[in-house]
Amino acid sequence: MKLSFQDYISIKIHQTDLNLTKFIKSKLEDFNLAPEQNLIMMLLWEKDGLTQNQLAEKLDKDKTNIARMSSNLEKKGYIYRAHPKEDRRSLMLFLTDSGKELGERVIPVAEEFNDIVCKGISSDELIELERLLTKINQNVQEQ
Amino acid sequence: MKLSFQDYISIKIHQTDLNLTKFIKSKLEDFNLAPEQNLIMMLLWEKDGLTQNQLAEKLDKDKTNIARMSSNLEKKGYIYRAHPKEDRRSLMLFLTDSGKELGERVIPVAEEFNDIVCKGISSDELIELERLLTKINQNVQEQ
DNA sequence: AAGTAATTGTTGTTATAGCAACTATCGAGA
DNA sequence: TCTCGATAGTTGCTATAACAACAATTACTT
């Protein structure tokens, strides 16, 4: 059974992800915020004081990526980092005033983005989509 | 309506894509082939002699990515590149013997990968998944 | 208490991914 | 034919993404 190029669902998922990233990137350009940097900020806007290690777990990313993105966010002045007294190995991330102010402007953009993505898709369809993606994740992680 | 982090379908798609990439990367490691390099090879195994521009269109990628990946594949000895006489700006990619032989070993791995990804998902569900992803692609490209 | 394990973060490397600016070539119109 | 615009690739840059190797710190074990 020779599969053709477009038969692979993984390729379709990959292309969709690239399109989504390109779109959100253009939306965030005005805020001097890259897409993955925004994910860290989204978590901090919910509750700051998270360590890089906690961010790596929540975002399911390598700690090296979190370290570099955190460093960039610090350079941009949206956060500052501090070692907690209890464990001087860890680095906690805190929002600066600039970072807090940014949230008030970016969160509406993120929600607008989500509305556009989900336009014409019902709640049931969204749930089904999430279920199938979860199934695929399980399939590849069982290996 | 304040959305929480895990409510964004785009994040779920992104995570799934990363998991898929990580998985296929591990499968292709033995063949000295990176995931996106493999996509180029997949197209060439179907029919070689494509130009970099044609590959960029088919893979919906920036021409710079294709140029660099093609260069890497050439260094690895899987392809060679030649300017056609009709248009000396273009670069056509052709399989070497090593590249052809590689296909015989990698294509079964790719199909096995696809079987694992789709395990426990029916044809109807797969079609529905593709339909929803297509809808999302349309939604963000209409902007 | 001392030595070893494990944990947390950083740096270096490779591979995408896309934008801007550039070169070389081709094509179309005056 | 000459100019100019379009096309095809390349190089430089920034931003992910993951792995290996490393340093600093903490926790565990005896």
Side-chain angles (χ1 to χ4, degrees):
Chain A
M1 158 204 67
K2 181 101 176 276
L3 285 180
S4 178
F5 188 75
Q6 58 272 24
D7 297 330
Y8 290 91
I9 189 67
S10 54
I11 292 175
K12 185 90 183 183
I13 292 171
H14 186 56
Q15 300 291 12
T16 306
D17 180 42
L18 290 180
N19 283 330
L20 286 167
T21 300
K22 199 190 294 186
F23 183 42
I24 190 65
K25 188 180 168 188
S26 70
K27 289 255 174 189
L28 292 175
E29 232 160 29
D30 299 335
F31 304 104
N32 187 27
L33 206 52
E36 299 296 326
Q37 290 168 10
N38 182 50
L39 294 189
I40 291 180
M41 294 303 289
M42 298 270 286
L43 286 171
L44 295 181
W45 288 324
E46 285 186 4
K47 178 182 171 305
D48 72 348
L50 295 171
T51 67
Q52 294 189 180
N53 200 47
Q54 287 172 320
L55 287 166
E57 275 179 18
K58 279 177 186 285
L59 294 172
D60 193 26
K61 282 190 202 308
D62 194 272
K63 56 189 178 170
T64 55
N65 302 321
I66 303 296
R68 286 183 177 115
M69 290 190 280
S70 299
S71 171
N72 284 334
L73 286 171
E74 198 172 43
K75 281 178 195 158
K76 291 179 180 180
Y78 295 142
I79 64 161
Y80 64 93
R81 292 187 286 180
H83 291 281
K85 289 173 189 164
E86 320 85 70
D87 187 345
R88 291 190 3 242
R89 294 170 302 180
S90 297
L91 260 184
M92 292 170 79
L93 275 67
F94 298 96
L95 295 167
T96 61
D97 288 343
S98 166
K100 287 174 191 165
E101 186 268 342
L102 185 73
E104 289 166 22
R105 290 184 293 144
V106 168
I107 288 172
V109 173
E111 298 192 345
E112 182 201 351
F113 162 75
N114 193 58
D115 289 344
I116 291 169
V117 169
C118 298
K119 199 174 62 182
I121 300 176
S122 71
S123 302
D124 285 348
E125 287 172 330
L126 261 183
I127 289 168
E128 176 70 356
L129 176 55
E130 281 177 19
R131 188 184 68 79
L132 291 169
L133 291 174
T134 300
K135 177 69 181 161
I136 286 173
N137 275 300
Q138 286 168 353
N139 283 345
V140 297
Q141 279 169 355
E142 272 168 14
Q143 297 301 310
Chain B
M1 161 209 59
K2 179 99 176 279
L3 285 181
S4 177
F5 188 74
Q6 59 271 24
D7 297 331
Y8 290 92
I9 188 67
S10 54
I11 292 175
K12 185 89 185 183
I13 292 172
H14 185 58
Q15 300 291 11
T16 307
D17 180 43
L18 290 181
N19 283 330
L20 286 166
T21 300
K22 199 190 296 187
F23 184 42
I24 191 65
K25 188 179 169 190
S26 70
K27 289 253 175 193
L28 292 175
E29 233 160 29
D30 298 336
F31 303 104
N32 188 26
L33 205 54
E36 299 296 325
Q37 291 169 8
N38 182 51
L39 294 189
I40 292 180
M41 294 303 289
M42 299 269 287
L43 286 170
L44 296 180
W45 288 323
E46 284 186 5
K47 179 181 171 303
D48 71 349
L50 296 170
T51 67
Q52 293 189 181
N53 200 46
Q54 289 172 318
L55 288 166
E57 277 180 15
K58 280 175 187 285
L59 295 174
D60 192 27
K61 281 188 201 310
D62 193 272
K63 56 188 177 169
T64 55
N65 301 321
I66 303 295
R68 287 182 177 117
M69 290 190 280
S70 300
S71 171
N72 283 334
L73 286 170
E74 199 172 44
K75 280 179 196 159
K76 290 180 181 182
Y78 295 142
I79 63 160
Y80 63 93
R81 292 187 287 180
H83 291 282
K85 288 173 188 165
E86 321 84 70
D87 186 346
R88 290 189 5 241
R89 293 170 302 178
S90 296
L91 260 185
M92 293 169 79
L93 276 66
F94 297 96
L95 294 168
T96 60
D97 288 342
S98 165
K100 287 174 190 165
E101 187 266 343
L102 185 72
E104 290 165 20
R105 290 185 293 144
V106 168
I107 289 173
V109 173
E111 298 192 344
E112 182 202 350
F113 163 75
N114 194 59
D115 289 343
I116 291 169
V117 170
C118 299
K119 199 174 63 180
I121 300 175
S122 71
S123 302
D124 285 349
E125 286 172 330
L126 217 48
I127 289 168
E128 176 70 358
L129 177 55
E130 281 177 18
R131 187 184 70 78
L132 291 170
L133 291 175
T134 301
K135 177 68 180 163
I136 287 173
N137 274 301
Q138 286 168 353
N139 283 346
V140 297
Q141 279 168 356
E142 271 168 14
Q143 298 300 311

